[in-house]
Amino acid sequence: MSTAVEQFRKLLTGKGSSAKDSWRPTCCTANNKRCRKQTEESLLLKCLALNALELSAPASDVLLRTHQCPATTTTTTNTGNSANSGWFQLSGHPDAFAPAGPGTVWKKCSGGEERSVYEALAGEPALRDITPAYFRQVLYGGQTFIELQDLLHGFRDPHVMDVKLGTRTFLESEVQNTIARHDLYLKMVAVDAGAPTDAERQVEAVTKLRYMQFREQQSSTCSLGFRIEAMKFRGTPPVTDLKRVKNTGDVSDTMALFLGNHEDVRQRIVARLQEIRYKLDQSHYFKKHEVIGSSILILYDDTKVGAWLIDFAKTRPVPDGCILNHRSPWTPGNHEEGFLFGLDNLIRVLENVKITTTENTVPSSKPLALKS
């Protein structure tokens, strides 16, 4: 079992008191009940920010809220209680989000590509409930944002998993330069000194395409078509390294830890992912667009489960006459990215996960009574 998975298990079983207590603010004392309550509430949407691999498709942008942020920002938390709370981001591009009204978020856009994707998706009714609802484009403070549905709204202290889909995490245009680079060679040998070929070792340089594909091989992206990008467990501190969760066994172990003893949650998540896959298979838009760096966001709490596609900043139309199946291997020019290949494998892994019934699982405050 990988080091990262073993770290999860220690966190969930409470072994290692230093890790268990490391998240507590220094302002809290044993007899300061109000501060302890504030700390517990701040866990509402604390998510794990993982060290994203050095790929051009970074960790998905995840907007989180906490009572520990500066008091100058006021908003409403997902619990439905108005309180002085702020917004902070743990993964994705810095400053990618700004707070919006209850139930919505503003996501910064460097161009119009992602807005165009959401507008097009709204034109296919079957896809509307598998992606965040798009409301409008907003100009604020000299920046351009799109206002989207806050998928976390309505969940109370949920378990969260962000899974990046696809066997290719870069646009073809990003690797057209065939000049070998010394800096990428140094990054490669820093990860694996034995990775360069004899020819690459002689010139001490590799192309960007070679480096990007090497990086994808370090995670489950290459073999399974997906990688676990970020996770949140109820009341646990961050685990910041999942890049070695690579083989099917380690991925399954991590999924089992995420699900705990919630067999009903596993079944509902699998059903939801199958629904998403069916709708994508039927989508005309999806057949004509490559989807790079997008994720499935999976959530569950004591009463609800949900899963949605997120992050379309690198979704692009393919040339006329090109029809994608999103499962074929990529070769330069065919624009296949393995998106559905990854979703197929994600569903297969979840179908085969063995749910434990021991006490060493993600804690739940009460039995689940899941709603549709």
Side-chain angles (χ1 to χ4, degrees):
M1 185 179 296
S2 71
T3 302
V5 176
E6 187 60 34
Q7 189 177 3
F8 277 131
R9 195 174 297 282
K10 289 180 179 179
L11 284 170
L12 296 177
T13 57
K15 295 179 180 178
S17 59
S18 60
K20 181 180 179 182
D21 296 334
S22 61
W23 58 270
R24 298 184 184 278
T26 55
C27 68
C28 290
T29 62
N31 55 6
N32 191 335
K33 294 183 179 180
R34 192 169 88 177
C35 190
R36 285 204 307 273
K37 184 176 184 297
Q38 180 180 353
T39 300
E40 291 170 358
E41 291 175 348
S42 76
L43 292 173
L44 177 61
L45 293 176
K46 281 198 173 182
C47 195
L48 299 179
L50 309 180
N51 292 337
L53 301 178
E54 291 176 351
L55 301 170
S56 47
S60 300
D61 296 319
V62 177
L63 180 64
L64 307 172
R65 304 170 202 172
T66 175
H67 291 275
Q68 304 301 319
C69 290
T72 55
T73 300
T74 301
T75 189
T76 303
T77 68
N78 274 10
T79 62
N81 299 323
S82 297
N84 287 331
S85 59
W87 301 69
F88 74 94
Q89 184 184 344
L90 287 182
S91 62
H93 295 293
D95 302 321
F97 285 94
T104 65
V105 295
W106 289 0
K107 182 179 181 183
K108 185 184 295 185
C109 293
S110 57
E113 291 87 356
E114 191 162 18
R115 182 202 68 200
S116 299
V117 173
Y118 279 108
E119 290 175 343
L121 291 176
E124 288 200 30
L127 301 183
R128 290 176 187 170
D129 71 334
I130 66 173
T131 61
Y134 167 77
F135 297 104
R136 58 176 177 153
Q137 179 174 289
V138 180
L139 297 178
Y140 180 79
Q143 301 286 344
T144 302
F145 298 86
I146 54 175
E147 185 171 351
L148 301 172
Q149 173 190 1
D150 177 8
L151 298 175
L152 296 168
H153 185 76
F155 284 86
R156 185 176 182 87
D157 197 9
H159 304 275
V160 183
M161 176 178 282
D162 181 348
V163 181
K164 189 170 292 295
L165 293 176
T167 56
R168 174 165 61 92
T169 59
F170 53 87
L171 293 168
E172 293 190 10
S173 60
E174 294 175 311
V175 294
Q176 290 179 347
N177 191 332
T178 59
I179 297 176
R181 292 168 48 180
H182 180 63
D183 62 322
L184 297 181
Y185 173 85
L186 294 178
K187 289 183 177 181
M188 176 183 285
V189 297
V191 175
D192 182 356
T197 64
D198 290 340
E200 291 166 344
R201 208 177 300 278
Q202 279 188 338
V203 297
E204 295 189 344
V206 296
T207 65
K208 186 170 184 181
L209 174 59
R210 166 78 168 106
Y211 174 73
M212 299 296 276
Q213 292 179 320
F214 161 76
R215 291 298 297 180
E216 288 171 345
Q217 292 168 358
Q218 306 308 302
S219 72
S220 58
T221 290
C222 187
S223 58
L224 295 177
F226 73 87
R227 71 172 187 253
I228 301 172
E229 191 72 24
M231 295 176 68
K232 169 199 176 291
F233 293 109
R234 183 169 288 171
T236 61
V239 175
T240 59
D241 190 356
L242 282 181
K243 57 188 163 189
R244 296 301 180 185
V245 178
K246 178 178 179 179
N247 61 50
T248 302
D250 285 348
V251 172
S252 295
D253 287 342
T254 306
M255 292 289 187
L257 287 170
F258 174 70
L259 294 169
N261 60 353
H262 303 142
E263 171 61 19
D264 47 356
V265 171
R266 185 191 69 81
Q267 293 178 11
R268 295 299 290 272
I269 290 174
V270 168
R272 173 62 170 168
L273 295 181
Q274 290 173 335
E275 176 192 9
I276 290 173
R277 178 174 62 184
Y278 174 79
K279 290 184 175 182
L280 293 177
D281 268 328
Q282 303 303 310
S283 168
H284 174 75
Y285 180 89
F286 198 61
K287 289 180 173 65
K288 299 290 293 181
H289 288 77
E290 58 182 324
V291 184
I292 303 297
S294 293
S295 294
I296 290 274
L297 186 68
I298 301 170
L299 305 95
Y300 74 90
D301 62 12
D302 289 337
T303 60
K304 295 188 294 185
V305 294
W308 294 269
L309 296 176
I310 61 172
D311 296 336
F312 299 104
K314 290 194 173 184
T315 295
R316 299 290 188 274
V318 296
D320 291 341
C322 183
I323 302 296
L324 303 182
N325 60 45
H326 302 278
R327 292 184 173 93
S328 298
W330 174 69
T331 57
N334 76 354
H335 296 279
E336 293 287 354
E337 81 300 70
F339 193 89
L340 287 180
F341 171 78
L343 184 54
D344 290 339
N345 281 324
L346 176 60
I347 292 171
R348 177 179 58 81
V349 168
L350 283 167
E351 286 176 332
N352 295 323
V353 165
K354 304 301 182 185
I355 298 298
T356 178
T357 57
T358 65
E359 294 181 359
N360 294 335
T361 59
V362 180
S364 176
S365 60
K366 59 183 177 180
L368 290 177
L370 301 179
K371 301 177 181 177
S372 298

